[in-house]
Amino acid sequence: DVKVTQSSRYLVKRTGEKVFLECVQDMDHENMFWYRQDPGLGLRLIYFSYDVKMKEKGDIPEGYSVSREKKERFSLILESASTNQTSMYLCASSLYSPGHSNRGPPNELFFGSGTQLSVL
Amino acid sequence: AQSVTQLGSHVSVSEGALVLLRCNYSSSVPPYLFWYVQYPNQGLQLLLKYTTGATLVKGINGFEAEFKKSETSFHLTKPSAHMSDAAEYFCAVSDRFSAGGTSYGKLTFGQGTILTVHP
């Protein structure tokens, strides 16, 4: 069974702390994504990675960074946590679509269960 | 940039009634279209998708959606609601042709619609 695992279900941190959210997938997927989910706003893409050590900014990268040292692991880093970063964070992965420079329809995203982060 | 709008943040139906969740996209070139579902305390999972071909797409759990280019819509329906359908539903889009020719499988999600099913 395919699996995307996020290290913590609930996390409480203080303002100014450096926070690491970890995500591991066991499907050998090339693409990995970090979204945040807020009521009424849906999911918004923070960062994504299409290969080891490669990363691209999403729609709301400010205040975040990422690391992908190994194919199966994608980490989201909050350099200095703030209260407006209190949110549900979802990690996802998908298989690379070969051919036509990845222009074809995207493959299915597989999501983790999420990490509810509270910054006090 | 692509955007997608889901009309109605909450929809409530009785068990056995028709389910209709609305989704509209904004793009001159029809994007790839998806519906994902999120059950309580779980991540999202794919319900169905439209990429090309037949405009009526069938998904899991009896759901289907119809792509209507003239209306820029991709509404999700199910003829008869079941209690187990209670969840949050997300419409999502991906550029059919993105700048630089690479999309990397990125999706843009709508705001979500919470479906409640009453006995």
Side-chain angles (χ1 to χ4, degrees), chain B residues 59-110:
Chain B
I60 61 173
N61 301 335
F63 283 92
E64 60 184 35
E66 186 171 11
F67 166 61
K68 291 187 176 180
K69 184 178 178 180
S70 60
E71 299 177 8
T72 62
S73 69
F74 191 55
H75 301 332
L76 182 70
T77 60
K78 182 174 180 177
S80 178
H82 192 272
M83 297 294 288
S84 61
D85 295 326
E88 188 162 16
Y89 292 80
F90 294 91
C91 183
V93 301
S94 176
D95 284 340
R96 190 169 289 270
F97 300 108
S98 60
T102 51
S103 68
Y104 301 115
K106 288 186 298 176
L107 297 187
T108 298
F109 286 85

Side-chain angles (χ1 to χ4, degrees), chain B residues 11-65:
Chain B
V11 169
S12 181
V13 300
S14 298
E15 194 172 18
L18 171 73
V19 175
L20 170 61
L21 304 182
R22 299 177 188 272
C23 172
N24 289 88
Y25 64 88
S26 66
S27 172
S28 57
V29 177
Y32 299 116
L33 296 154
F34 307 82
W35 276 99
Y36 279 78
V37 60
Q38 185 179 34
Y39 298 104
N41 299 314
Q42 295 184 27
L44 281 71
Q45 62 186 83
L46 181 66
L47 261 183
L48 50 78
K49 65 181 178 182
Y50 170 77
T51 57
T52 189
T55 56
L56 183 62
V57 180
K58 294 188 186 298
I60 61 173
N61 301 335
F63 283 92
E64 60 184 35

Side-chain angles (χ1 to χ4, degrees), chain A residues 8-13 19-21 115-119:
Chain A
S8 304
R9 178 76 179 120
Y10 298 96
L11 212 51
V12 180
K13 296 292 181 181
V19 181
F20 293 86
L21 302 184
T115 296
Q116 178 62 53
L117 173 67
S118 297
V119 182

Side-chain angles (χ1 to χ4, degrees), chain A residues 9-70:
Chain A
R9 178 76 179 120
Y10 298 96
L11 212 51
V12 180
K13 296 292 181 181
R14 296 206 174 274
T15 303
E17 279 193 76
K18 189 169 187 176
V19 181
F20 293 86
L21 302 184
E22 306 288 345
C23 175
V24 177
Q25 50 96 2
D26 65 359
M27 296 164 283
D28 203 33
H29 285 171
E30 290 80 10
N31 300 330
M32 295 190 75
F33 308 83
W34 275 107
Y35 285 90
R36 65 177 281 178
Q37 181 180 7
D38 299 287
L41 297 178
L43 277 72
R44 293 177 291 167
L45 182 63
I46 304 171
Y47 266 97
F48 66 100
S49 168
Y50 52 90
D51 200 353
V52 175
K53 297 191 186 295
M54 305 304 289
K55 59 186 179 185
E56 293 280 343
K57 293 180 180 179
D59 299 318
I60 52 164
E62 296 79 19
Y64 303 94
S65 62
V66 290
S67 172
R68 193 158 180 210
E69 296 296 319
K70 293 185 178 181

